[in-house]
Amino acid sequence: MHKAGNTPSPRRNGTRVAFRAAAGLAALAVAGSLTACQTPFGDEDDPGAGTSGPPPAAPPDGPAVSGPAGPTSAGDTYVPGDGNGGYDVQHYGLKLAVTPGGAKELDGTATITATATARLARFNLDLTALDVSSVTVDGAPARQQRGGSELEITPAKALEKGAKFTTVVKYSGTPRPVSDPILGKYGWVRTPDGVFVACQPSGAHTWFPSNDHPSDKAAFDFEVTVPPGLTAIANGEPESPLPGSSGGGAPSSGPGGGTPPGGSQDPTVVPAAARLATTTKWHVKDPMATYLATVTVGRFDVRTGRTAGGVPVITAVDPTLPTVNVDTFHKLNAQITEEWAKLFGPYPFTSTGGLIDNAGVGFALETQTRPVYGAFGLQPTIVAHELAHQWFGDSVSVTRWQDIWLNEGFATYAEWMWDEKTGGRSVKEHFDELYGDPGNRELWDVPTGNPGRGQMFGRSVYDRGGLTLHALRTKVGDATFFKILQAWTKERRHANATTPQFIAVADRVSGQRLDPFFDAWLFKRGRPSL
């Protein structure tokens, strides 16, 4: 993610974009390292985010069920109140009617399939400032009560431990973006012709009820209806060709075809004017954290194709952005995906690509299978960063936000590698410049492995995280370093992970005891010695 606010001093190659938070994030500044992420504060700090919620709905007839309730938080101090306990979600089915600029921009039905991990008389979902008309659990009406960003649900009868259950929530309203003093707006953000949806870390529950914490990943299906002339682009792959496309159909979910590097031989142009009112269905096969979900709506030029290795590529660009060439972006998505597959291991998902929208936000976000970018244009190192997140952050996801360097430090290091590969500065030059500033308190006074809630998207996480990886590469050698990364992405594929687990992999693969090394680079204040 490229983030807004307090950015480091500009780099010579200008590979990052920073936005000033004032005046709707209108002022651009080319700045230093910070990509693919979001605000540390969530909607708890947005006085306009409607955290009080609507009044409780009248409960159905019959007595309330007594018994144990699931925890009302995942217990992550970096995002207080996010997530819940007592159950594990396997699947979200989101049926959405999106009307940008309407009296109600969103009319939704969420069908959530989960397994109880404890006996539950009550459980919570995260949901902010939207009206809930009904809730059922396994087909029976359930009681609901609202408080802050919580939707408390009491089923007609208690759920036994191990039971699979299905909750259906019908809801509507206009989602409000989260407003953060550092990063500006995120979540559900209006654009001139639609909405841009990017939710890290706490924005998912502003537009659908969820267990909104990365420790509970699930498969997704989206069914999205939009007004005439607009298209909804979500994660995963569409069930049928996108509106206005012709020939070839939707990309398949597996490798195949003899497409040359950079995409299809004859990529399909989808003129914005040709689009009709439509309902589009998208399927996400592999587990996804809620903050990585997106349903971005607008007018887009679309390209479809495959990487040289056969991975489907779906690329979309708002045609009102004059500085972005959709064919260049499409080819770049394919090339970078191929390069990272060589270094990090097989691509972990069923498609790749990206979306650039005319959104006044100061970041890009690694939404799973299809990162989204604001109106700041196309910068290859940012694309390299976001696509690296498909391995580091999306497939291997954090168990707790304290370990976010496992996302951002790795993606920052990938950004440096792409810069070197394409004739820019070498990785060593990036390292030497940053390491050569011993008085930089942003880097050296904040422990990368536990930076604190207020610094979870700070320079220590991004740049010192990247420095840590280069120091590790220097210590163990190139061959061992990339074996460590590939072991990590293979062993934790589609799962969650922590820093101690990464250290254990590095110890095992290298045959060295690296705990003192990681302690100095990740947890101690002060610049480590080389």
Side-chain angles (χ1 to χ4, degrees):
M1 176 255 310
H2 263 264
K3 73 168 202 171
N6 299 325
T7 57
S9 58
R11 294 180 178 179
R12 292 188 301 273
N13 65 345
T15 58
R16 301 233 179 230
V17 174
F19 287 77
R20 305 297 180 190
L25 304 177
L28 277 156
V30 177
S33 166
L34 292 169
T35 352
C37 290
Q38 263 323 320
T39 171
F41 302 114
D43 32 70
E44 290 85 353
D45 290 314
D46 179 12
T51 54
S52 61
D61 294 335
V65 176
S66 62
T72 60
S73 168
D76 191 331
T77 58
Y78 280 54
V79 284
D82 283 9
N84 299 283
Y87 61 91
D88 175 28
V89 178
Q90 277 82 53
H91 183 266
Y92 291 94
L94 301 180
K95 185 176 181 179
L96 310 172
V98 181
T99 309
K104 288 191 309 181
E105 290 194 343
L106 179 62
D107 197 342
T109 300
T111 301
I112 304 168
T113 304
T115 299
T117 57
R119 187 176 187 274
L120 296 175
R122 297 181 303 281
F123 63 92
N124 282 30
L125 294 169
D126 299 308
L127 185 66
T128 295
L130 295 172
D131 299 315
V132 175
S133 60
S134 69
V135 180
T136 64
V137 177
D138 290 335
R143 294 172 178 264
Q144 58 147 310
Q145 181 171 318
R146 303 295 295 277
S149 292
E150 298 292 326
L151 172 62
E152 182 185 276
I153 297 171
T154 304
K157 62 179 182 179
L159 302 166
E160 298 301 325
K161 181 178 180 180
K164 293 186 181 299
F165 64 98
T166 299
T167 304
V168 178
V169 181
K170 294 186 177 181
Y171 64 102
S172 62
T174 297
R176 302 179 185 179
V178 180
S179 181
D180 176 75
I182 297 175
L183 298 175
K185 292 188 299 183
Y186 77 98
W188 186 277
V189 178
R190 280 299 313 280
T191 64
D193 62 3
V195 292
F196 175 88
V197 179
C199 297
Q200 190 181 25
S202 302
H205 61 269
T206 66
W207 63 283
F208 68 97
S210 59
N211 192 15
D212 195 10
H213 190 269
S215 58
D216 192 1
K217 295 162 55 163
F220 277 73
D221 280 283
F222 303 90
E223 180 179 328
V224 192
T225 301
V226 295
L230 301 183
T231 294
I233 295 180
N235 312 86
E237 297 78 51
E239 186 178 272
S240 57
L242 294 176
S245 64
S246 61
S252 67
S253 61
T259 306
S264 62
Q265 293 178 352
D266 184 21
T268 301
V269 179
V270 184
R275 305 193 183 283
L276 303 175
T278 187
T279 296
T280 309
K281 295 181 180 180
W282 295 78
H283 175 63
V284 180
K285 171 188 173 184
D286 299 308
M288 179 167 71
T290 50
Y291 79 90
L292 297 171
T294 186
V295 174
T296 293
V297 176
R299 293 178 174 86
F300 300 105
D301 287 339
V302 177
R303 302 290 186 272
T304 61
R306 292 180 183 271
T307 69
V311 178
V313 187
I314 304 173
T315 302
V317 172
D318 186 319
T320 66
L321 296 173
T323 62
V324 179
N325 183 287
V326 63
D327 295 307
T328 300
F329 183 39
H330 184 63
K331 182 178 180 180
L332 186 65
N333 285 324
Q335 290 174 330
I336 293 175
T337 299
E338 281 292 298
E339 180 66 16
W340 292 163
K342 295 173 186 174
L343 295 178
F344 305 148
Y347 183 69
F349 300 120
T350 52
S351 66
T352 185
L355 182 150
I356 301 178
D357 200 1
N358 188 14
V361 296
F363 58 87
L365 180 65
E366 65 273 16
T367 47
Q368 190 161 304
T369 68
R370 193 152 303 105
V372 294
Y373 306 80
F376 50 82
L378 174 58
Q379 296 194 26
T381 52
I382 299 177
V383 178
H385 183 117
E386 302 308 327
L387 287 176
H389 272 306
Q390 303 308 302
W391 286 262
F392 306 106
D394 293 13
S395 176
V396 185
S397 302
V398 294
T399 303
R400 56 192 186 184
W401 284 111
Q402 162 185 333
D403 296 314
I404 190 173
W405 87 277
L406 293 171
N407 299 5
E408 298 308 336
F410 285 62
T412 297
Y413 194 67
E415 180 183 333
W416 298 349
M417 289 193 292
W418 187 257
D419 193 22
E420 179 177 86
K421 179 178 175 60
T422 55
R425 290 191 299 160
S426 68
V427 171
K428 186 177 185 304
E429 287 175 321
H430 282 277
F431 180 92
D432 289 346
E433 178 186 348
L434 291 164
Y435 188 80
D437 186 6
N440 191 323
R441 298 185 62 184
E442 290 180 274
L443 284 179
W444 310 121
D445 287 0
V446 178
T448 302
N450 191 6
R453 182 172 180 244
Q455 292 294 323
M456 64 186 284
F457 295 105
R459 290 198 68 185
S460 175
V461 168
Y462 286 74
D463 286 344
R464 186 168 165 180
L467 291 169
T468 299
L469 290 172
H470 191 66
L472 175 64
R473 181 178 177 179
T474 302
K475 185 175 183 65
V476 302
D478 276 17
T480 299
F481 175 75
F482 287 106
K483 285 180 181 178
I484 291 170
L485 297 192
Q486 292 188 20
W488 179 243
T489 60
K490 180 180 179 180
E491 294 172 18
R492 308 305 302 181
R493 181 182 174 96
H494 299 156
N496 295 84
T498 64
T499 297
Q501 289 171 328
F502 177 74
I503 294 172
V505 169
D507 283 352
R508 188 187 75 242
V509 174
S510 69
Q512 300 182 35
R513 185 175 176 273
L514 296 168
D515 299 63
F517 166 85
F518 283 112
D519 186 51
W521 279 95
L522 296 178
F523 297 107
K524 288 185 176 178
R525 288 178 168 82
R527 189 179 69 160
S529 59
L530 294 178

